[in-house]
Amino acid sequence: MIDANRTPTRGRLASAVADVRLWFAPERLRDEGETPDYRFSLANERTFLAWLRTAMALVGGGFAVDQFLPDTNSALRLAAALTLLAGGAVCAVRALNHWVRCERAMRRGEDLPVSRFPVMLGLAVGVIALVMVGLVAVRWGR
């Protein structure tokens, strides 16, 4: 029987809210399922830390663009810097969300969650790198 008040969107929203609540109380994960092999939890944590390093690199890149391309069109430089800074923020938040979702899946014995974020991030970094090459080439061509 289908609950009329439980739409797929409402279910996803409730799940997202539950995930965010776990960010601030990760000890509540222990209430779900069984404790996985600690090696898997540690691997999940290492992946989380790798995502945080990526986020910090994007933030550092945003500051570098702002500081080291002063002769570039200010609107273009600002857009590039803000894109990198925002990308770093999104990457950090996504890392936390992915860590919780993976930890929960491992505890429940479920498949690990699939994510398009690595592909989107890879493409975005590639495009940003090409834009930076163009900015530096224009600056050096002067």
Side-chain angles (χ1 to χ4, degrees), residues 7-30:
T7 63
T9 302
R10 188 175 292 207
R12 283 191 294 257
L13 181 61
S15 177
V17 168
D19 287 348
V20 170
R21 293 173 97 187
L22 286 175
W23 295 0
F24 301 101
E27 66 277 358
R28 290 178 46 204
L29 276 171
R30 292 185 179 135

Side-chain angles (χ1 to χ4, degrees), residues 109-120:
E110 299 171 351
D111 289 340
L112 293 178
V114 177
S115 175
R116 289 185 204 112
F117 189 73
V119 172
M120 293 176 2

